[in-house]
Amino acid sequence: MSGLSLNDISKQFGSFTAVDRVNLSVPHGTFVCLLGPSGCGKTTLLRMIAGLEEPSSGRIVIDDEDITDVPTHKRNLGMVFQSLALFPHLSVGENIAYPLRIRGVAREEQAKRTQELLRMVHLPGSGDRPVAKLSGGQRQRVAIARALALSPRLFLLDEPLSALDAKLREAMQVELRQLQQRLGITTIVVTHDQREAMTMADLVVVMGDGKIRQAAPPIEIYRKPADAFVAGFIGMTNLLPVETDRAGRAMVLDTAIPGLRLPDGVTRASVSVRPEDVRLSAPGAGSITGKVTFVRDLGGTIETFVETAGTTIIAVATPRERPDVTAGAEVGVVLPPESCVVVRS
Ligand code: ATP
């Protein structure tokens, strides 16, 4: 298969398993985000793909070539790390041209390629500037240009945007995605920011405890999380216990949700209901009754926190749908059955 294949990759540090039998097929040109909480093994997996860490078992294949035992510098990869590792005493152009120089590319060709790369990352004419004088976003672009100088077959980035402030980070996410699409380069980014993953990725790989918990397109991860861990990790959600009663009805917080069915043989699980799918109504039949504890008006959205039986349910509405409630009000909470995703607890 053209692209990247991880076949049963594990990494042991002593008796500790940092990456646990990971299998993943990444078609050529795909943008992958490795996502998960701190310590789940994202960086270790990326470092194994990069050749900076040796897998304890398993094979890594790029474009049908088994590279597991190939040293880093012969894998033809572009890498950007959080620290960027730019040379502070060199100019922007010299930084970008560095890999070309090391490879012995002719001077003229170096200059031409550097200009091309500067244009590509929206820094035309900046070749002579000292990197020390650049803003965070500009430095980021220089690091990206340098990593792409040798037209690598795989582009690997570890938390590349985490040092930037929120606004710049969002802008760079879009920029990075557009650049990747233009180049059609297979790209793997480690992040713990789910919004970043949703913005950039074709394929989000959610990891937990060294294992892949779900690998799917972002919207599928959001709409059909494989389990409670994934549902809780991607976006805001309400995770509520569900069980079937003697009559076979699905009960959430002691309220029957007509139309909701648990898989055969399952009598107890959780449902994930996204806040934007939760409806508030007058208290009454068919709804869970609760008390509004807090209303957060964020301008573009309004979040209403409703407490019921020791659980807080969050409903999100747009200003146009604004629920007419304030803290202290009794409300009904309606969970549309089609929005209730049953997940393993
Ligand atoms: P973060 O987002 O915090 O960087 P991560 O998901 O990238 O986390 P890793 O850096 O891959 O996690 O680490 C996974 C686990 O492996 C952690 O528990 C870490 O302490 C452990 N680990 C990583 N490198 C080593 C090492 N060289 N020796 C021992 N343990 C290690």
Side-chain angles (χ1 to χ4, degrees), residues 54-55 58-60 66-72 75:
E54 201 181 325
R59 310 302 299 176
I60 302 170
D66 189 324
I67 57 150
T68 319
D69 304 315
V70 174
T72 303
R75 292 190 183 193

Side-chain angles (χ1 to χ4, degrees), residues 220-232:
E220 192 177 321
I221 299 255
Y222 187 82
R223 283 281 154 212
K224 291 186 196 149
D227 56 27
F229 173 86
V230 175

Side-chain angles (χ1 to χ4, degrees), residues 4 30-36 42-43 45-46 49 80 144 154-162 173 176-177 180 185-193 196-197 200-201 203-205 207:
L4 170 71
T30 305
F31 196 128
V32 180
C33 280
L34 300 179
L35 182 67
K42 312 178 288 291
T43 296
L45 185 58
L46 191 82
I49 299 167
V80 175
I144 290 170
L154 209 55
F155 190 23
L156 307 176
L157 305 96
D158 191 356
E159 303 266 4
L161 309 178
S162 58
Q173 288 163 8
L176 187 55
R177 171 57 165 165
Q180 182 272 341
I185 184 171
T186 311
T187 300
I188 317 237
V189 175
V190 164
T191 180
H192 59 258
D193 179 344
E196 186 163 300
M200 301 193 298
L203 185 69
V204 173
V205 177
M207 293 182 66

Side-chain angles (χ1 to χ4, degrees), residues 13 16 18 37-44 159:
F13 292 112
F16 176 73
S38 186
C40 71
K42 312 178 288 291
T43 296
T44 304
E159 303 266 4

Side-chain angles (χ1 to χ4, degrees), residues 102-155:
I102 294 295
R103 275 288 171 96
V105 172
R107 253 172 199 285
E108 231 168 70
E109 182 57 28
Q110 277 185 38
K112 191 167 147 247
R113 179 81 180 126
T114 301
Q115 294 309 319
E116 239 173 61
L117 289 157
L118 282 169
R119 275 196 300 278
M120 188 178 82
V121 295
H122 306 305
L123 287 173
S126 299
D128 294 331
R129 294 180 67 188
V131 277
K133 292 269 161 62
L134 299 181
S135 70
Q138 288 168 331
R139 263 179 234 199
Q140 205 72 45
R141 294 196 188 113
V142 175
I144 290 170
R146 186 181 63 180
L148 295 174
L150 290 168
S151 306
R153 55 180 173 176
L154 209 55
F155 190 23

Side-chain angles (χ1 to χ4, degrees), residues 197-263:
M198 300 284 291
T199 305
M200 301 193 298
D202 296 302
L203 185 69
V204 173
V205 177
V206 183
M207 293 182 66
D209 295 329
K211 293 186 182 68
I212 292 184
R213 306 293 287 257
Q214 190 171 7
I219 200 65
E220 192 177 321
I221 299 255
Y222 187 82
R223 283 281 154 212
K224 291 186 196 149
D227 56 27
F229 173 86
V230 175
F233 199 76
I234 305 283
M236 203 164 35
T237 200
N238 295 291
L239 270 179
L240 306 168
V242 60
E243 54 187 15
T244 41
D245 69 0
R246 287 212 189 106
R249 298 177 306 173
M251 306 291 289
V252 175
L253 301 174
D254 291 333
T255 303
I257 309 288
L260 179 64
R261 265 182 60 92
L262 268 58

